[in-house]
Amino acid sequence: FAYEDIASQELDKYTYKYINDEKMNGVDCFVIERVPVYEDSGYVRQLAWINKNEYRPEKIVFYDRKNSLLKTLKASDYQQYLNQYWRAGSMQMDNHQTGKSTALTWSDYKSGMVFPIRILTVTALRMPNSEPVLAISDCIPARLVQTAHGNTGHIGIAFSCITE
């Protein structure tokens, strides 16, 4: 996964082209091509299978800057939060160029969590029991995520903030 893959997916970050309708694992989907507007994107284009009923991505195929197949993302185990926001419980990314795969599992989504501003530094992420001083409201998920980078472990914090 690259940061770009799990960052927020605002509509204006891409241009879109309808390709066709297709079933993905028994789900009716729109297949669309989306081209990142951001000129420094790692991708020249993406093909996305979007659930027709819930408008959520079921699968995204990424093409690198040489327009070669790079990787495929499959999202599953969706749950609805706050009666309106769909979030994938599992995300599987397969890199076709390296043969490697990564699976992310999301759980314990919460809204209205309060975090100390100090928690957003690398040093503070390793220190438990900080005093709350920063409110991050309507963020999903708001929890610490353990990730592994080579032989060292790094702790990050994952937020998907919803604004109206």
Side-chain angles (χ1 to χ4, degrees), residues 50-68:
I50 306 297
N51 180 308
K52 284 184 173 184
N53 293 324
E54 305 299 340
Y55 295 99
R56 59 186 190 213
E58 301 291 332
K59 174 179 157 180
I60 303 173
V61 178
F62 300 85
Y63 292 85
D64 67 15
R65 299 191 49 90
K66 296 178 184 175
N67 203 23
S68 297

Side-chain angles (χ1 to χ4, degrees), residues 72-155:
T72 300
L73 169 68
K74 292 181 183 172
S76 61
D77 303 325
Y78 277 95
Q79 292 186 25
Q80 191 176 35
Y81 294 89
L82 302 176
N83 295 319
Q84 58 184 338
Y85 304 109
W86 288 99
R87 297 292 183 255
S90 298
M91 298 170 77
Q92 172 77 31
M93 184 73 80
D94 297 314
N95 188 313
H96 304 289
Q97 295 180 4
T98 66
K100 295 183 179 182
S101 295
T102 302
L104 294 178
T105 302
W106 306 93
S107 63
D108 301 326
Y109 286 88
K110 292 181 175 49
S111 176
M113 300 297 292
V114 177
F115 292 93
I117 191 71
R118 295 179 304 277
I119 202 168
L120 302 178
T121 67
V122 173
T123 303
L125 287 171
R126 297 173 193 224
M127 297 173 21
N129 303 323
S130 297
E131 294 295 319
V133 294
L134 174 68
I136 302 173
S137 47
D138 296 324
C139 289
I140 301 174
R143 64 181 178 83
L144 293 178
V145 179
Q146 179 73 45
T147 59
H149 299 282
N151 293 329
T152 62
H154 296 276
I155 297 175

